[in-house]
């Protein structure tokens, strides 16, 4: 990892090849205007300082376009580098004139094969709240915030009459919705797996499923748990960007966040118990196999002893010359095997 304080060069560290393009939504209580472009200079003229301006950036490949957006709104260079770092840990950062939230969104992995357990793919999302603007940065082309665009067009709940921080809370609620659906699917899968394990079914894929769910859980934990401690920054009384009238909406987002955190904790406990149960089931199956092998071996031990005795070929072994010695040997061995078998059945060792 290079020292980013010694370089002015911007590098996008992700793997997305989505071309960088921007979508501007500028609105007031009475009107709304939308504009899409491949570069910031094509939408710069449409920005209105008297309106709320929401700039969506899809694709971070063109770092110069990202630089122009951030420079126009006075976003710090270090924040710009964080936006382009696709592996940046989740954080909430408060600056003098804006608030930055960097986190992850989760989607089903479209590259997973049909017979393989479903994996999670993630992409980074950055939300920036300013006095009269909101910026969102997504690595890929995504319709994740399309419902918010639709709400603005239809002016649902008079959304266009509210301040920028209300729009910011709506976007955060979208992110929380993504977390709730993802963590709920993990929780449901864990419960189904627990029921399957309780049947002690010898399914060789259960271990793979547990590991897949564990990877999903770890991705969710790394994205959500930092928000648990840092979200309180938005409640500080001296935070001038969050208006008092809109704090109730941020409380609602916090309720959703707490639900996600609690569900993640439940998943952790369930995963731990599933691992113990899986190991216990494997031990039970192994014990059952060993018990059956022991029963078979015990039945054949006396038979092997008799075969060994009569196979010693000593000169003076009277029964070797007996006319019915062969039939007697077979009858004796069959009788011993039956007696031992029923003895095990009586003791319920079978």
């Amino acid at each position: 990892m290079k020292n980013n304080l010694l370089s002015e060069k911007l590098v996008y560290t992700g793997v997305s090849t989505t071309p960088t393009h921007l979508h501007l939504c500028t609105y007031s209580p009475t009107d709304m205007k939308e504009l899409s472009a491949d570069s910031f200079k094509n939408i710069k003229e449409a920005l209105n300082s008297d309106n709320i301006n929401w700039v969506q950036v899809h694709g971070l490949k063109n770092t110069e376009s990202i630089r122009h957006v951030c420079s126009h709104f006075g976003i710090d260079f270090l924040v710009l580098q964080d936006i382009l770092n696709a592996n940046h840990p989740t954080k909430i950062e408060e600056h003098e004139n804006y608030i930055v939230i960097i986190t992850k969104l989760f989607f089903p992995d479209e590259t997973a094969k049909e017979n393989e357990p479903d994996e999670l793919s993630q992409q980074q999302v950055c939300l920036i709240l300013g006095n009269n603007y909101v910026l969102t940065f997504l690595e890929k082309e995504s319709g994740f915030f399309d419902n918010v665009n639709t709400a603005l067009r239809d002016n649902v709940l008079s959304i266009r009459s509210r301040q920028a921080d209300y729009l910011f809370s709506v976007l955060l609620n979208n992110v929380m919705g993504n977390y709730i659906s993802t963590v709920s699917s993990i929780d449901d899968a864990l419960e189904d797996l627990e029921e399957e394990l309780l049947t002690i079914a010898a399914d060789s894929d259960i271990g793979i499923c547990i590991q897949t769910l564990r990877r999903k859980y770890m991705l969710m934990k790394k994205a959500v748990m930092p928000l648990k401690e840092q979200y309180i920054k938005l409640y500080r009384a001296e935070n001038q960007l969050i208006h008092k009238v809109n704090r109730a909406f941020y409380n609602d987002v916090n309720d959703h966040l707490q639900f996600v955190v609690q569900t993640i904790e439940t998943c952790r406990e369930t995963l731990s118990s599933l691992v113990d149960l899986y190991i216990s089931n494997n031990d039970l199956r192994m014990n059952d196999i060993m018990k059956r092998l022991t029963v078979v071996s015990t039945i054949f031990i006396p038979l092997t002893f008799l075969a060994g005795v009569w196979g010693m070929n000593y000169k003076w072994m009277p029964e070797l010359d007996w006319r019915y010695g062969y039939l007697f040997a077979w009858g004796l061995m069959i009788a011993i095997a039956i007696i031992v078998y029923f003895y095990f059945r009586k003791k319920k060792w079978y």
Side-chain angles (χ1 to χ4, degrees):
M1 180 176 179
K2 296 181 179 179
N3 188 338
N4 61 347
L5 299 181
L6 299 178
S7 173
E8 294 184 357
K9 184 179 180 181
L10 294 173
V11 178
Y12 167 55
T13 62
V15 297
S16 173
T17 58
T18 301
T20 302
H21 60 283
L22 301 89
H23 179 81
L24 169 65
C25 176
T26 177
Y27 62 89
S28 66
T30 56
D31 68 330
M32 173 180 168
K33 181 179 179 181
E34 293 184 83
L35 181 65
S36 296
D38 294 331
S39 63
F40 181 67
K41 65 180 180 180
N42 294 331
I43 66 172
K44 187 176 180 179
E45 298 297 328
L47 292 172
N48 189 335
S49 59
D50 296 327
N51 290 355
I52 304 299
N53 299 283
W54 176 24
V55 178
Q56 298 181 66
V57 180
H58 296 268
L60 306 180
K61 191 175 178 182
N62 189 339
T63 58
E64 286 305 310
S65 289
I66 310 300
R67 186 200 293 269
H68 292 155
V69 173
C70 292
S71 296
H72 178 82
F73 291 100
I75 307 301
D76 187 81
F77 181 74
L78 289 178
V79 175
L80 173 56
Q81 290 181 322
D82 293 342
I83 294 171
L84 296 173
N85 181 3
N87 299 313
H88 197 283
T90 297
K91 75 169 183 178
I92 297 178
E93 196 169 81
E94 184 179 3
H95 294 257
E96 184 177 356
N97 298 316
Y98 57 90
I99 295 172
V100 180
I101 297 181
I102 296 178
T103 186
K104 301 292 189 294
L105 298 176
F106 299 98
F107 306 95
D109 189 358
E110 298 177 354
T111 63
K113 296 181 180 179
E114 183 177 354
N115 296 326
E116 292 182 352
D118 293 335
E119 295 281 357
L120 275 184
S121 66
Q122 64 178 10
Q123 65 165 304
Q124 184 162 286
V125 57
C126 177
L127 310 174
I128 299 179
L129 169 65
N131 186 43
N132 67 332
Y133 66 86
V134 174
L135 309 179
T136 58
F137 298 86
L138 286 167
E139 291 186 79
K140 302 176 182 178
E141 178 62 46
S142 173
F144 184 73
F145 293 125
D146 283 355
N147 60 331
V148 183
N149 277 316
T150 302
L152 286 169
R153 294 187 194 105
D154 299 337
N155 199 21
V156 176
L157 298 175
S158 301
I159 185 174
R160 295 206 302 257
S161 300
R162 301 177 183 269
Q163 298 99 327
D165 56 328
Y166 177 77
L167 174 62
F168 196 67
S169 72
V170 172
L171 298 177
L172 283 177
N173 245 330
N174 252 36
V175 174
M176 290 303 124
N178 175 263
Y179 289 167
I180 289 173
S181 62
T182 303
V183 77
S184 296
S185 68
I186 296 174
D187 191 40
D188 292 342
L190 287 172
E191 289 181 1
D192 294 341
L193 200 57
E194 187 175 25
E195 292 179 4
E196 187 176 350
L197 275 170
L198 289 174
T199 63
I200 320 181
D203 189 348
S204 59
D205 291 336
I206 288 182
I208 298 175
C209 290
I210 291 176
Q211 289 303 316
T212 301
L213 290 171
R214 183 178 178 275
R215 285 194 294 270
K216 292 182 179 180
Y217 157 77
M218 292 302 297
L219 287 175
M220 286 293 299
K221 182 179 179 181
K222 287 194 292 185
V224 174
M225 296 310 286
L227 291 177
K228 177 184 177 182
E229 303 297 332
Q230 299 182 38
Y231 191 79
I232 197 173
K233 293 179 180 179
L234 301 181
Y235 289 138
R236 291 180 5 183
E238 59 270 23
N239 188 338
Q240 301 299 318
L241 293 174
I242 307 296
H243 298 89
K244 185 176 180 179
V245 68
N246 291 324
R247 289 185 182 271
F249 302 108
Y250 286 85
N251 285 331
D252 185 57
V253 173
N254 186 56
D255 291 341
H256 295 163
L257 176 60
Q258 294 306 316
F259 172 80
V260 174
V261 170
Q262 291 169 8
T263 308
I264 286 176
E265 291 297 329
T266 302
C267 289
R268 181 185 65 81
E269 295 173 2
T270 306
L271 268 172
S272 178
S273 63
L274 281 180
V275 171
D276 293 340
L277 188 57
Y278 178 69
I279 294 173
S280 176
N281 279 0
N282 280 344
D283 290 341
L284 287 174
R285 284 195 290 268
M286 184 60 67
N287 289 340
D288 187 61
I289 292 171
M290 294 303 297
K291 183 170 65 176
R292 294 176 186 274
L293 291 175
T294 302
V295 169
V296 173
S297 300
T298 305
I299 291 174
F300 279 91
I301 283 174
L303 309 185
T304 305
F305 171 75
L306 292 175
V309 170
W310 287 320
M312 290 189 292
N313 293 322
Y314 284 112
K315 184 176 182 180
W316 300 108
M317 295 183 69
E319 64 269 27
L320 294 181
D321 296 327
W322 185 27
R323 180 178 180 181
Y324 301 104
Y326 179 72
L327 294 177
F328 173 78
W330 269 108
L332 179 62
M333 288 189 287
I334 291 173
I336 291 174
I338 292 174
I339 291 171
V340 173
Y341 171 75
F342 279 104
Y343 176 78
F344 283 140
R345 281 187 64 89
K346 184 178 180 181
K347 296 292 185 180
K348 296 184 179 181
W349 291 352
Y350 54 89

